[in-house]
Amino acid sequence: MTNFSGSSVYVASDELKRSVNIAMALEKPLLIKGEPGTGKTMLAQAIADSLGMELIVWNIKSTTKAQDGLYVYDTVQRLYDSQFGEAGVDDIAKYIKLGKLGEAFKKEQRCILLIDEIDKADLEFPNDLLWELDRMEFHIPETGETVAANYRPVVIITSNAEKELPDAFLRRCIFHYIAFPDRATMEQIVRVHFDNLEQKLLDQVMETFYMIRDMRNLQKKPSTSEVIDWIQALQIGGVDPDRIKAEIPFAGVLLKKNEDLAALETRTKAGKRAW
């Protein structure tokens, strides 16, 4: 079996790479937690690219049910077709559409299945998937068909820790927490996105970014994606690196809450750098 060793566009720690490979070897879902912006969702794409596998993404919303990932029986379309005399109305299978989990099971090669932000759904959602993730199959009563996985997909599950997941579900997963990158790791990530970034600009951005993240009582700390956007804004604006720490241009790219922007403005105007 081919191991995941990272990719040219995704900076993964050795521990994260080990967790991915152990999950694949044990054929268990890998549950990834971490604050927003730590690369949880991008990890699945990096694994798919690195191993040459197809990626199937199941984006979870507050209204998502486990059944949505298995299949949907389009009774409305069948009724509509019957009213207008369409042929094949008696063929129920024609009105069965597989969900993302069903699609992954039907693939002719092993694929990556990303169940993204599982904690957005209700508390019963993870438990409702236990059988399917254990046995890698589900039954369609309307047609009498059992859909079994041709190849067990590599299942990556992300969570922002908005709510606790059930113990029964956690027992079936390999767990990894992605800590927010330290400065050295963040510089590596930034270099992936910017080939020829001036070192002085990078130094000023890193110093200012981590100072802001260390401010007390921030309602939403800036994330990796926001520092990438901020660097782009500074470059587009032609900002002198010497101005970055003193003036913090384009602060609205980093901070998205009125209260956080106000706190930063107050601190900057007062010249109090007790970060």
Side-chain angles (χ1 to χ4, degrees):
M1 182 186 68
T2 304
N3 285 340
F4 173 63
S5 57
S7 76
S8 60
V9 295
Y10 188 90
V11 178
S13 68
D14 290 340
E15 186 61 32
L16 175 55
K17 287 183 278 192
R18 284 193 289 268
S19 295
V20 171
N21 291 323
I22 286 296
M24 289 195 296
L26 297 179
E27 296 187 329
K28 289 181 174 291
L30 175 61
L31 174 62
I32 299 290
K33 283 190 178 182
E35 67 176 88
T38 49
K40 300 185 298 298
T41 299
M42 292 176 61
L43 171 64
Q45 184 66 64
I47 298 171
D49 292 343
S50 174
L51 302 183
M53 294 182 181
E54 181 181 351
L55 173 64
I56 296 176
V57 180
W58 185 9
N59 290 305
I60 306 304
K61 302 177 182 179
S62 60
T63 56
T64 302
K65 303 298 180 186
Q67 177 67 35
D68 300 336
L70 307 182
Y71 73 95
V72 175
Y73 174 28
D74 194 346
T75 55
V76 175
Q77 185 62 50
R78 188 182 181 207
L79 177 60
Y80 179 86
D81 288 349
S82 67
Q83 289 174 339
F84 288 89
E86 293 289 334
V89 173
D90 291 338
D91 182 10
I92 296 178
K94 192 173 133 181
Y95 301 96
I96 299 294
K97 181 180 179 181
L98 293 178
K100 296 299 184 180
L101 195 60
E103 287 181 27
F105 286 2
K106 282 289 192 179
K107 292 297 178 183
E108 294 300 324
Q109 293 181 324
R110 197 179 192 193
C111 66
I112 310 291
L113 172 64
L114 170 63
I115 304 177
D116 200 24
E117 299 191 326
I118 194 172
D119 50 329
K120 282 188 174 180
D122 63 41
L123 291 174
E124 290 306 312
F125 178 86
N127 281 337
D128 290 343
L129 287 176
L130 292 181
W131 172 272
E132 289 77 15
L133 291 177
D134 271 348
R135 301 298 182 93
M136 285 289 151
E137 65 179 35
F138 61 89
H139 185 65
I140 303 178
E142 291 84 355
T143 63
E145 178 189 4
T146 295
V147 177
N150 292 321
Y151 295 90
R152 193 178 188 98
V154 177
V155 181
I156 309 296
I157 303 170
T158 69
S159 169
N160 289 325
E162 292 181 4
K163 60 172 72 84
E164 288 298 320
L165 299 174
D167 289 344
F169 180 80
L170 294 174
R171 283 196 299 271
R172 289 164 169 82
C173 297
I174 303 298
F175 174 76
H176 183 86
Y177 182 85
I178 300 182
F180 194 84
D182 59 19
R183 177 166 173 168
T185 303
M186 183 64 80
E187 288 190 10
Q188 292 182 51
I189 295 171
V190 169
R191 288 292 185 191
V192 166
H193 293 271
F194 300 93
D195 294 331
N196 301 305
L197 189 63
E198 181 186 351
Q199 187 61 46
K200 185 175 183 180
L201 174 61
L202 178 60
D203 290 341
Q204 290 297 309
V205 164
M206 290 294 101
E207 183 175 353
T208 307
F209 175 70
Y210 281 97
M211 283 180 177
I212 292 174
R213 276 190 59 88
D214 287 341
M215 285 176 59
R216 293 181 179 180
N217 302 321
L218 277 185
Q219 294 192 24
K220 183 185 181 305
K221 292 184 178 183
S223 68
T224 304
S225 60
E226 285 155 342
V227 75
I228 299 297
D229 290 343
W230 191 41
I231 292 172
Q232 289 181 316
L234 293 171
Q235 289 182 321
I236 292 170
V239 175
D240 183 343
D242 291 330
R243 291 175 46 209
I244 292 175
K245 184 177 178 180
E247 301 178 17
I248 313 183
F250 311 118
V253 178
L254 290 172
L255 300 175
K256 308 301 173 62
K257 297 280 188 177
N258 291 339
E259 297 84 353
D260 293 344
L261 284 168
L264 178 62
E265 184 179 1
T266 299
R267 186 179 292 273
T268 303
K269 285 182 177 178
K272 296 178 181 179
R273 297 293 175 178
W275 305 80

